Structure formats: structure tokens, C-alpha cells
Amino acid sequence: MSSKTPLGKQTMDSVDPTRAFVKNVKRIVVKVGTAVVTRGDGRLALGRLGALCEQLKDINSQGYEVILVTSGAVGLGRQRLRFRRLANSSFADLQNPQNDFDGKACAAVGQIVAFFNLQLDVTSSQLLVTDSVFRDEAFRKQLSETVKSLLKLRVVPIFNENDAVSTRKAPYEDSSGIFWDNDSLAGLLALELKADLLVLLSDVEGLYSGPPTDPKSKLIHTYVKEKHQGEITFGDKSRVGRGGMTAKVNAAVCAAYGGIPVVITSGYADNIKKVLRGDRIGTVFHQDAHLWTLVKEEGARDMAVAARESSRQLRALGSQERRKILLDVADALEANEGEILAANEADVAAAQDDRYEKALISRLALKPGKISALAKSIRKLADMEEPIGRVLKKTELAEGLVLEKLSCPLGVLLVVFESRPDALVQIASLAIQSRNGLLLKGGKEAKRSNAILHKVITSAIPEPVGGKLIGLVNTRDEIPDLLKLDNVIDLVIPRGSNKLVSQIKESTKIPVLGHADGICHVYVDKSANLDMAKRIVLDAKVDYPAACNAMETLLVHKDLLSGDGGFKQIISELQVSVNDRKSVADVTLYGGPRAATALNLPETNSFHYEYSSLACSVEIVDDVNAAIDHIHEHGSAHTDCIVAEDRQVAETFLTQVDSAAVFHNASTRFCDGARFGLGAEVGISTSRIHARGPVGVEGLLTTRWVLRGNGQIVDADRGVEYTHKDLLNS
């Protein structure tokens, strides 16, 4: 078969080596399990079916030759017949015992292929086969010719076992013959029709080491028969079909050893496209799997458990021992500065060659003096007060019964961040200070920088804590597995784009701390000192345009527009800005409805937009209340500033703007953990629960209760005299 470029933007150079076979795929057999397109009660899930058909349609239009094998005729037919009988039965009929339907009659009624014909919106054909016909050489030859002709005409052949006339024993307990269910039929067709790939869609993400519902089960990415055959514990068979994972594995092994690569994966997402793109999803079966030289990767759960165990060792250390670890990390960073910067320069060069956005490259680069600044912030963090075990509340409940509320670590953190390698250093140092275990996943654009920084930091952590306190996740394919570990990982902190944060929030039950946008405002009131206003506005936009605390919208009181009000001076300052620290291009301005007309600016498409570059929106407002309303409607509750000399107006702004940080006469760029004196930050949170604003050590802590007594019992509160005396503040 001729090769076909996979769907999507991913290049074959970035494909996982165990998925490299996809570059030669043109003809693909897809087996759709009954559970993929039905609900728990056996009824068709039309939305899910429609999404699957759209995916198959897209693949077909890209030039792939798609052959479909379906399941579920018996189950769907039985469900239809039961409904029909119920609709046509009298109340008296329903009082009598009802015999179940003949399986073959159910099969005749329930052929699911009709639903695919309706949904696919491409020409398709139905081919029903039985086990016996494959014993006929002439039939097999004709089948191959027919399918070849159909594919040439861009017709999708849809196969199903003709259960209605099959001579197998009911209820399909006979596993003799050439194929024994639709999974093995799919494997047989892949071999007979010389397919390049077989995809078996299921209602789980692939083959697990045990039942998928067992938290200890791990997804097996590459099946090696010699290794996995005796290790796997299968769960229940399909809830609506007659197969299950056992049937899929048997079919996959047979096809793979016949030379057809096989992937078992979930049918609930665009996973066929992802398989063809080379993404590391599902479980791959390949005849050469036992020969592949695979890098032994620590499983997601193993990495998280190891981080938790290391964090417990860290908690057992005294304050001075913990302080020494941080100081050693700071020293190690400075000692290895040359190697770190060389790796970072390679990342920046690669990002420039790949034509990444300037804002991303700016965040990626470790500028001169950055390593020294990071080391300095770590030393400052090391000298801060011990955060663990602080007594937050101490109460005498009754005589001799004392209750304390103490600060303690959260447990294990998962931090997913983009671009900025300096974030790795800050987050790792905060994890050490707060005595939390940590898993880090940085962007691929910073892989060299992250790798060397992780190596330098973990090498400075002595036993018995060890380097496993901080794990570095190497591929994005591990993230879905990690996001499922709500019994091991305690908090997820995404740092990056709106898309990244939103995707993570939608994909996990673990609490997520972070912000999706950094849409920060500066409001210049009519009472503002204009020289001060110009300095603040310029700094908020130009100092570091890619930062999440940079100004994205400038709001100006309407009175400053008239005469020598000063509005045009501020606008002019932005448009010809040259910062003393670095030369910059003019700031591109986009006006709201009022500013666009007054200043002849191009009108913005949306105020809710994070430019992350030398651009911003401008709008005119009537007063401070209008500014507050604008911020609440279009902002992201990150950081907002007022420039005003009128104290009453300023207090109105500070008390009524509902953002994580609100400033008076100061640049939004001050919203930063280091500048706040937190030592470092894991990010800035716009959440309203747990932590808000720049999140330092305190945001990575929780509390626990310690009760000390001398034999007291409740005994229905008889004989207990509660005092509830505050011992901390007395």
C-alpha cells in the first residue's frame, strides 16, 4: 500500500517509536464494539454514534481506505423487540411470564449497519458473512476483489457476522471455526484484505494490567506477549455484546502475529485520528514488539507514589536539614549555569526554527542574570519561617483535653506548565519548602532546559529523601494517566494558555488551582496624576508583555479626552514607547466602540482577549463605577489597577473590583510571588477556594487537627464539661 500522511499537525519525527508504523498506513480496518455506540441499557447513543461517523467520514475524505466491522445486532434487536412487545401487550399479557426472544431473530432485526448508513453521509455497503464461507477459497478471492472495487469507488464496506443464519450454537458459546465473534472477524478481515492497520474500539482506553475500575491497574501501552500474557487479569465481558477485552486481545494477538499492527483504544473520542497521527494512546500489538528497544518508563502511578513516599521522608527532617537542601539546590544551579544556559539556547534556537510565536520564545529564554536571580530567591525561601507544624489554633475542649489545628503539606502536586523553564525551579523549591511531593510536565519547546534543571535540582537532594521527590514527566501521553490518579495526586496546577487550563479542568476529578486568562486592566481616573499614569501604563504593558500580569486593557475616564485632559498623551506614550531597558516596537492599540471613534483606532473584536504581546485594548468610561462594571464583564479576575488621587474613588475601586489582586497607583506587574515576598510562586490563582493571587508556600499547605488527652471518652457527653477555651490568644 502507498504511504499516507497522518491527520493533524504532528510530524513523523515526533511520533513515538512504538507508533512509527502509522506512516505506512493507508488501508485500515476499524471494529466498533457494541458498548461504544450504546448506553448502559442497550439503547443506541445517537450522539456518540454521530461523532464516530463524522470521524470515519473525515478519515475517508483524507484518502484512507476504511473498512468497518460492527457488533451488536443481537443485543439491539432484542431491545427493539422487547419495546415492540411492550407497546403491543395488554396489562393482562404483562402479568404472564414472558419468554425471551430467539437470538437469531434478534440478529435479523438488529443489524446496526443501517444506523451507520444513515449517519456516515458517505456511500457505504453492507456485507454479512458467516464462518463457513471463509473455508471456500473462491469466496475469499471474490471477497477481496469486491472490497477492492468498493474502496476504489470510495465506498465504505461495513461487515458484520450474519448471526441470523449462522449455524453456531445459541447463545453463541461455540468458539470453534475460523472466527468466533466480530473481534476475531475484524482480525480475519484485516489479514484477508491486507490491511495496514486494525483498530479495535472499546469503551475503555486500552488494555489494562487488571480491571480498569481497579485503581492499581495500569494502561499497557505496548503489548508484549511473552511479558504480559500471564500478568493480565481481565474484567467483565462486554455489558451488551458477547465479547469483551479477552476477545479483543485474542483477535489482536492473532492479527499482529500475522503481520498487521493492531491498536485497542477507546471509541469515545477522536482516537482513530490520534492513532493515525502517531499519538501514544491505547495499546499497540505488533509482531516485532518483543524486539523493540524500549526506554523503561516509570508508570504514572509509580512516579506519583514514589513522590509521596519521598515527601514523607522530607517531612521527617528538621528545619535546618530542609534549609540545607534548598541552599544546596541554589549552589548547584549557579555551579551548573553554563550547562543550563547552553541547553536553553538550544531550546530557543529550535523554537525559532519552528517559528514559534515571539511571546512564547520570550517566556522560554533564560535571560542574563536569571540563574543568579533564581538562586537568590531560593536562598530567601530557605531563610523563611518553617511553614509546617505551625499552630494556627489551640483550644482547650475540656480539662486535660487540648485540640490544635496545625499546618501541613497537601501531599503530591502535579504542575503542568508551558514555555518557562524558570517556573520549574520556582515550583521545585516551593515543593521542598512545603514538603510536598511534585510531578512536573513542561512544554516540549523547553525539553532540554527542563531536563538539565531537573537533573541539577534532584542531584542536590540527599537520601533518604532522594530525587524521586520531584518527578519529571517526559511525554504528554502520560498526562491523561496522571489526571486519573485522584487517590494519589492531591492538587493539579496548570500554568499556561487558556486552552491548557480548560482542558485539564475538564479531564480530572483532582482539584485544579490556576487561572485560564490574565486579562488585566488599568483604569486612569480623572483625578490621576498624569505623569504617574503614563509611567504605570507604560510599565504595565511594556515591561514584560508576555506575562500574565501585563495590562491588556486600558480604561480612561471620559473627562481626560477633552482639551488638555491627558488621554492623548497617554496614548501617544504607548504608541512611541521605547523602554530604557530594551527597545520595543510601537504598541498596537485596538479601541472599544467609544475609543475607536474618538481616536481613530481599529475596533477590537473582543475585550476578553489576552494579547501577551505589544498590543492592548483601549476604552473610554464615564466614571469609576463604569470601569468596575467593564472589568467584571470582560476581565478574568486576575489583577486590576486604578490610578487616582481621589482617595474615595480609589477605595471604591479597591473594595468593589472582585479580582485576585487590586492595586492603587502601582503597576499590575507587581502581582508576582517574588515581588510579594513569597520567595517564589507556583502560579497565580483566580480561583476563590483554597488560594488566590500569587501562590507561594502557604497556598501549598492544608491543615490537620491534633487532639491530646489523658483518657477522656465521650460516653454520650455524660460527665464532660466543655470549656472551649482559646489557649493561643489568651
Side-chain angles (χ1 to χ4, degrees):
M1 298 295 168
S2 60
S3 64
K4 178 70 186 172
T5 302
L7 299 165
K9 298 181 180 179
Q10 191 169 2
T11 65
M12 296 315 300
D13 291 339
S14 63
V15 171
D16 186 285
T18 65
R19 304 298 192 271
F21 58 81
V22 299
K23 64 184 177 183
N24 297 316
V25 170
K26 182 177 182 182
R27 181 172 295 177
I28 174 176
V29 174
V30 178
K31 181 341 185 109
V32 182
T34 313
V36 174
V37 292
T38 58
R39 306 178 191 277
D41 58 5
R43 292 183 298 167
L44 273 176
L46 294 177
R48 200 182 300 156
L49 177 61
L52 177 62
C53 289
E54 278 297 315
Q55 189 180 180
L56 293 169
K57 177 183 172 183
D58 288 346
I59 293 167
N60 185 64
S61 68
Q62 289 287 328
Y64 289 94
E65 296 178 348
V66 181
I67 300 166
L68 193 60
V69 180
T70 64
S71 289
V74 176
L76 288 170
R78 180 174 287 112
Q79 188 264 331
R80 285 182 176 184
L81 289 172
R82 283 175 177 169
F83 175 79
R84 178 58 56 192
R85 182 166 62 186
L86 179 64
N88 295 330
S89 296
S90 67
F91 181 77
D93 292 335
L94 296 175
Q95 304 308 304
N96 299 319
Q98 303 288 319
N99 295 325
D100 203 0
F101 298 104
D102 175 68
K104 297 188 182 301
C106 293
V109 173
Q111 289 293 348
I112 195 173
V113 68
F115 293 96
F116 279 94
N117 277 324
L118 289 171
Q119 294 279 343
L120 270 173
D121 197 26
V122 295
T123 306
S124 55
S125 62
Q126 179 177 4
L127 296 96
L128 299 178
V129 296
T130 59
D131 175 84
S132 59
V133 297
F134 280 92
R135 303 177 191 278
D136 186 340
E137 183 66 30
F139 166 81
R140 292 161 64 184
K141 182 177 180 181
Q142 184 58 56
L143 176 67
S144 180
E145 290 298 320
T146 300
V147 170
K148 183 177 179 181
S149 298
L150 290 170
L151 294 174
K152 188 174 181 180
L153 294 169
R154 312 305 304 157
V155 175
V156 176
I158 303 179
F159 281 86
N160 189 253
E161 182 179 5
N162 195 351
D163 295 321
V165 298
S166 171
T167 58
R168 295 182 192 278
K169 300 175 187 176
Y172 308 101
E173 296 172 351
D174 183 358
S175 60
S176 62
I178 295 177
F179 69 88
W180 50 91
D181 56 25
N182 283 301
D183 289 312
S184 56
L185 171 60
L188 176 61
L189 288 170
L191 290 165
E192 286 288 332
L193 303 175
K194 296 180 172 56
D196 303 311
L197 174 65
L198 169 60
V199 177
L200 300 174
L201 296 180
S202 178
D203 56 351
V204 294
E205 294 187 14
L207 175 63
Y208 285 79
S209 58
T213 53
D214 186 344
K216 296 181 180 179
S217 296
K218 302 174 187 175
L219 180 64
I220 298 170
H221 289 288
T222 303
Y223 180 87
V224 179
K225 185 177 179 181
E226 295 80 1
K227 177 175 187 282
H228 295 118
Q229 190 172 34
E231 296 180 355
I232 299 169
T233 302
F234 291 102
D236 297 333
K237 75 177 209 51
S238 171
R239 55 178 166 77
V240 283
R242 57 184 143 113
M245 190 55 71
T246 306
K248 287 176 175 57
V249 170
N250 290 337
V253 169
C254 290
Y257 278 79
I260 309 296
V262 185
V263 176
I264 298 177
T265 189
S266 168
Y268 292 168
D270 282 349
N271 280 355
I272 307 174
K273 291 182 180 179
K274 293 177 181 177
V275 168
L276 293 173
R277 203 166 58 206
D279 289 4
R280 190 168 176 261
I281 63 168
T283 304
V284 68
F285 295 72
H286 196 284
Q287 63 180 354
D288 296 330
H290 64 293
L291 301 176
W292 288 338
T293 303
L294 299 174
V295 177
K296 184 181 182 302
E297 292 185 358
E298 193 174 22
R301 183 180 178 82
D302 294 333
M303 190 182 296
V305 170
R308 184 180 292 280
E309 290 303 317
S310 293
S311 71
R312 287 170 177 163
Q313 295 295 328
L314 181 60
R315 289 176 216 176
L317 300 182
S319 296
Q320 290 305 310
E321 292 171 293
R322 184 267 311 154
R323 178 177 180 274
K324 186 178 185 306
I325 292 175
L326 284 172
L327 295 178
D328 289 345
V329 168
D331 293 343
L333 287 172
E334 290 180 331
N336 292 276
E337 182 174 9
E339 191 175 355
I340 294 168
L341 293 180
N344 183 248
E345 288 169 6
D347 282 333
V348 171
Q352 291 170 336
D353 290 342
D354 291 337
R355 298 184 178 181
Y356 279 85
E357 294 180 358
K358 290 182 178 179
L360 184 145
I361 294 173
S362 176
R363 292 192 295 268
L364 175 61
L366 292 173
K367 297 175 176 61
K370 188 63 177 180
I371 299 299
S372 296
L374 288 169
K376 182 179 179 181
S377 69
I378 293 173
R379 293 186 179 105
K380 182 176 181 180
L381 190 65
D383 289 334
M384 293 176 71
E385 179 186 358
E386 171 62 58
I388 305 301
R390 283 188 298 159
V391 180
L392 306 176
K393 189 173 184 179
K394 188 173 183 179
T395 306
E396 180 192 78
L397 301 186
E399 186 177 353
L401 193 62
V402 177
L403 178 67
E404 291 180 331
K405 184 180 184 181
L406 306 177
S407 61
C408 66
L410 280 169
V412 176
L413 317 174
L414 169 60
V415 182
V416 183
F417 59 101
E418 295 176 338
S419 308
R420 292 179 52 183
D422 60 308
L424 186 150
V425 179
Q426 294 186 53
I427 297 164
S429 59
L430 284 169
I432 295 170
Q433 173 75 342
S434 61
R435 308 195 188 200
N436 283 296
L438 176 64
L439 302 179
L440 292 162
K441 172 64 181 80
K444 63 181 180 181
E445 65 279 354
K447 61 182 180 182
R448 300 172 186 84
S449 305
N450 290 337
I452 184 60
L453 287 168
H454 177 259
K455 179 182 176 182
V456 168
I457 291 170
T458 54
S459 297
I461 302 174
E463 296 296 340
V465 178
K468 289 188 176 182
L469 176 73
I470 302 171
L472 183 64
V473 180
N474 294 310
T475 68
R476 65 178 182 179
D477 300 308
E478 294 173 274
I479 295 299
D481 289 341
L482 288 166
L483 292 176
K484 294 176 185 175
L485 299 178
D486 54 300
N487 59 340
V488 183
I489 296 173
D490 301 287
L491 183 68
V492 180
I493 305 174
R495 291 185 56 161
S497 66
N498 182 303
K499 182 179 179 181
L500 171 72
V501 177
S502 299
Q503 283 179 341
I504 287 177
K505 285 183 176 180
E506 293 168 2
S507 303
T508 186
K509 294 189 291 184
I510 305 170
V512 177
L513 182 71
H515 71 274
D517 294 294
I519 301 172
C520 303
H521 298 75
V522 173
Y523 165 58
V524 181
D525 187 61
K526 66 179 181 180
S527 67
N529 178 309
L530 290 183
D531 288 335
M532 178 193 295
K534 284 186 282 188
R535 292 197 309 272
I536 290 173
V537 168
L538 189 62
D539 182 82
K541 180 70 261 182
V542 173
D543 181 64
Y544 188 7
C548 65
N549 57 14
M551 179 188 74
E552 302 294 9
T553 298
L554 171 63
L555 302 176
V556 180
H557 194 286
K558 64 180 181 179
D559 289 359
L560 296 180
L561 187 62
S562 59
D564 297 327
F567 185 18
K568 292 182 180 179
Q569 295 179 40
I570 296 172
I571 297 301
S572 175
E573 195 78 17
L574 277 173
Q575 289 179 318
V576 298
S577 60
V578 178
N579 195 304
D580 291 339
R581 285 164 284 180
K582 52 184 180 293
S583 296
V584 296
D586 295 347
V587 177
T588 302
L589 302 179
Y590 298 93
R594 296 173 71 174
T597 301
L599 298 169
N600 194 28
L601 296 173
E603 190 164 347
T604 182
N605 293 323
S606 172
F607 283 117
H608 193 89
Y609 186 74
E610 188 173 8
Y611 294 95
S612 298
S613 63
L614 287 168
C616 69
S617 301
V618 181
E619 185 56 311
I620 301 162
V621 293
D622 290 338
D623 54 23
V624 67
N625 294 312
I628 293 168
D629 290 342
H630 181 103
I631 291 168
H632 288 164
E633 182 176 356
H634 302 289
S636 62
H638 192 292
T639 304
D640 298 294
C641 158
I642 181 173
V643 184
E645 294 300 301
D646 187 322
R647 294 286 175 178
Q648 186 174 349
V649 168
E651 285 304 312
T652 298
F653 185 93
L654 295 177
T655 55
Q656 293 188 21
V657 171
D658 186 17
S659 296
V662 284
F663 297 167
H664 176 209
N665 290 347
S667 170
T668 57
R669 291 281 293 123
F670 279 106
C671 189
D672 174 83
R675 296 186 180 104
F676 276 17
L678 305 181
E681 68 176 35
V682 294
I684 296 177
S685 170
T686 55
S687 302
R688 286 170 169 76
I689 297 174
H690 184 66
R692 200 173 183 200
V695 180
V697 171
E698 286 190 3
L700 304 180
L701 303 178
T702 185
T703 59
R704 63 193 187 108
W705 296 93
V706 175
L707 181 64
R708 294 181 174 88
N710 51 24
Q712 289 89 343
I713 60 173
V714 173
D715 190 24
D717 288 329
R718 290 190 290 265
V720 179
E721 185 176 341
Y722 290 101
T723 58
H724 293 144
K725 183 188 299 182
D726 183 357
L727 300 180
L728 192 62
N729 300 307
S730 59

